[in-house]
Amino acid sequence: MSEQVIMTIDDARFDGGDGLRSVRQKALIAGVIGALATAGGYFAVGRDVFYRAYLIGWLFWLGIAVGLLSLGMIAQVAGGRWGIQMRRVQEASGRTLWFFLILALPICFGGLESLFSWARDGVAASDALVAEKTGYLKAWFDFEGTNPEWMATFVPGFIPRILIIFVLWLLWAYRLSALSNAFDAAGTHEERERARDKQIKWCAGGLLVFAVVATFASIDWVMSTDPHWFSSLYGPQFIIWQLLSGVAFSIPLMIFFGNREPLKHLLDPKQFHAYGKWMLAFTMVWGYFNASQIIIIWSGNLPEEVGWYIHRSTGGWYWFTAALVLFTFFVPFVILLFQPLKFKPKILLRIALLVLATRWLDYYWNIVPNLHPDGFTMHVFDVIAPIGIGGLWIWLLFGQVQGKVLVPVHDPVIQEALSDG
Amino acid sequence: MSTPETSSAATVGTNPDLTPPSDRQILSPDHDAETLTNKVSSIVFGRTPLWMYGVFALSFSLVGLLLISVVYLVVKGTGIWGLNIPVAWGFAIINLVWWIGIGHAGTLISAILLLLNQDWRNSINRFAEAMTLFAVACAVMFPLLHTGRPWIAAYWLLPYPNTMWLWPNFRSPLMWDVFAISTYGTVSLLFWYVGLVPDLGTLRDRAKNIHLKRLFHSLAMGWRGSAKHWHNYEMAYLLLAGLSTPLVLSVHSVISFDFSVAQLPGWHATIFPPYFVAGAVFAGFAMVMLVMIPVRFAFGLHDMLTSRHLQNMAKVTLVTGFIVCYGYLAEFIFAYYSGNPYERYAIAENRPFGPYNWAWMMLIFCNFLAIQPLWFKKVRQSPVALWVISFIISIGMWLERFVIVVMSLHRDFLPSSWDRYAGTIWDWGLYLGTIGFFFSLMFLFIRFVPMIPMSELKILLPEARVKGDGHH
């Protein structure tokens, strides 16, 4: 196919203008105020509330950032016209991940004992189940007294694991961006094809790596808040939480970029429809995973497993659980079944905001009943901490797209879309 | 371009005028509506090729073995199988899971790929759907025969109001299996049949033999191909696709509950439902390639089942294979993380080092190592390589169920209750018999029904795309 010049690389750059400045400004203000309030909250609300709100806020925004990056990778591997338009924005999200590594420092060096009972002194000595897992549930590299013994040598602890997880994420994020730049800079068709092939291979391999990484992330950051409980479906669930966050956050991003060059003519209702379908699919998978998990655990009725559900179905948590199921599954599921609604950006935006809100509820539901099994609890600070983290991250994300090439103009799929458009 | 109607299946595919399709095409560019119809229907109307008598005789002789195995089972009871306590579930459940899994590719191809607008599915869907039906037929034999008295199995399995106020246990996943599998069979049959209706109309119009004409006439249900007929047909097809989509997940999830709701180490894992579903699609695609590659060669269907079809199927196989391997990894990680010594022993000691470790090692070879060549395009383009890999996967997926069922049961909690297990000659007879049954039905299908959907392939022709996207 001979390549038509419809859009040049320079046309494909996003300069943003006032719209971008305004979003970044608002995000920065919200971020700074939120961050100050969060920092002040440490002294006002106490360590326990502070760290749980902080962990949930961190997981919530991290889920969006990794979810966006993973979606871009899925789009590249699967091919087709639904995903390529937003891929460069999704790649930009990958380049912000170092921010979350920095934000992990307070959890590692201050909040470990507040959030994770296994990290407290003497717990392993008095709790037989925790004692069995000390080879894994440890902060650093504890060589003595770990169980089983071989884990002492080969398995790093919680803090080095965070570092490994983020190094892998960042490696892929920056590698994919570099390959995109190489693709844009390539002069000949062959060079481009090589860059594209290489990127597809990195994306395919990356999805495998991300799946394994997510499994350890899910155990460390969420599951081990109750050191007794385990569910081997948790890794896939963590992946779905992140993908659902990424898809839902893509909708406001698509509305923003759909009003501005260079993506203006590429983001039509069909793209919104595709993202609506993904949102429906991931919502169904969320329901499927949760239903499977409770059926298996409830039927098995083992003390170390079923307690997790008993905490969530008694003492005020019952209503929280019911609301979670209603708003995370039934409401978006029923609305998204209607095809015409998925073509309408405004309606989709509302559903996306609901989905994002339920992402936060879901992290809350997965973590806080482990820390407060006796009864429902929530603090206004639980909402403040995520605002601070989110404001700063959005400011960073929009900084990463400024002046960047957002349309891979030489990609055959984009060529096709542009000439149709 | 048009070609004279071929009268013998043996001459099909030797048409010298057709340009071979390129690597990315799903249909030879030289085809038009007439050549497509000629080529596909000539397989049904042409003479039976000699080789087909041979392979049919072979598979039908295995059906004989099936009949002998069933009769002897009914006369003597399940004692002729290798079952014991603790291994009370043996070949029967392994084969049930294996066969049900094989059917999943058909449902995935017909329903999910249709909803995802993957037009390459149009040439392989009917073939895969037929496989689903036959695989389900093979699968249901095992639990029914395992009851020992299959003629009164319905009396135990189906809930109906009776004077003794006896009900099956609704909390048992075995009960859910009855509903899951029967729904699956029914919807798959409907989907396959509805898809066939336009093609049965074509066959009715082309049949010269009066008996065949009458047969196709009644099967086509008065299909005339009017705009209204097409409209209703497409609506019905789409609705059935929507109905089948959850079935891809639900059937094998329910099958996985048979194991995972128990407390047995090696069975009780929440990863089981998605891990079983992925395994089912993995095994199903392997079986589609295993059967389709020789058929494509024998009937010269390279212009309709192109390299792109094989490559796409290879990619789906690779992806689902990795999900299955993720399941193996998750089992290991969580066996350790659970802190449960029985779980750790079952997964991390008994499997790699126990008496059946050969099965576990072969499983890792078949389902992990053997699929790695699929990363390379050269391998995905080679039908021979794909066929060999598919064969290895089919063995690997049988071994996976052997590892899960037998290796978990034979050493449970108390070493004093441990035992060994091996299938007897009757276990193998029944298993090989169902393989023969499956292939006999497959050959009858290939011979008497258009195995490639003519009506759906025509949608892919350039002239059907005048109005933008064709029928999507």
Side-chain angles (χ1 to χ4, degrees), chain A residues 72-95:
Chain A
M73 289 159 72
I74 293 173
Q76 181 68 308
V77 175
R81 269 168 82 160
W82 63 269
I84 193 158
Q85 287 82 352
M86 288 300 287
R87 221 185 60 227
R88 293 291 171 87
V89 179
Q90 287 157 345
E91 272 172 26
S93 147
R95 297 193 298 270

Side-chain angles (χ1 to χ4, degrees), chain A residues 93-158:
Chain A
S93 147
R95 297 193 298 270
T96 62
L97 285 173
W98 55 268
F99 172 64
F100 294 98
L101 179 59
I102 295 173
L103 288 188
L105 294 177
I107 297 172
C108 295
F109 298 105
L112 221 48
E113 286 170 19
S114 291
L115 290 166
F116 304 102
S117 65
W118 54 261
R120 288 173 209 149
D121 284 340
V123 170
S126 60
D127 188 322
L129 257 178
V130 175
E132 276 294 320
K133 304 182 189 186
T134 45
Y136 187 86
L137 295 177
K138 59 191 176 186
W140 290 95
F141 301 90
D142 299 328
F143 291 109
E144 274 171 37
T146 50
N147 205 350
E149 257 172 52
W150 64 268
M151 278 196 165
T153 330
F154 295 110
V155 179
F158 182 93

Side-chain angles (χ1 to χ4, degrees), chain B residues 11-61:
Chain B
T11 60
V12 168
T14 50
N15 187 338
D17 298 337
L18 286 177
T19 320
S22 79
D23 214 32
R24 299 177 72 88
Q25 281 170 326
I26 48 178
L27 192 61
S28 165
D30 290 346
H31 266 304
D32 60 26
E34 193 179 350
T35 55
L36 269 180
T37 312
N38 283 341
K39 185 156 185 176
V40 177
S41 57
S42 68
I43 299 173
V44 178
F45 291 129
R47 279 175 41 176
T48 313
L50 263 183
W51 60 265
M52 217 164 176
Y53 285 109
V55 287
F56 186 76
L58 184 69
S59 42
F60 201 70
S61 63

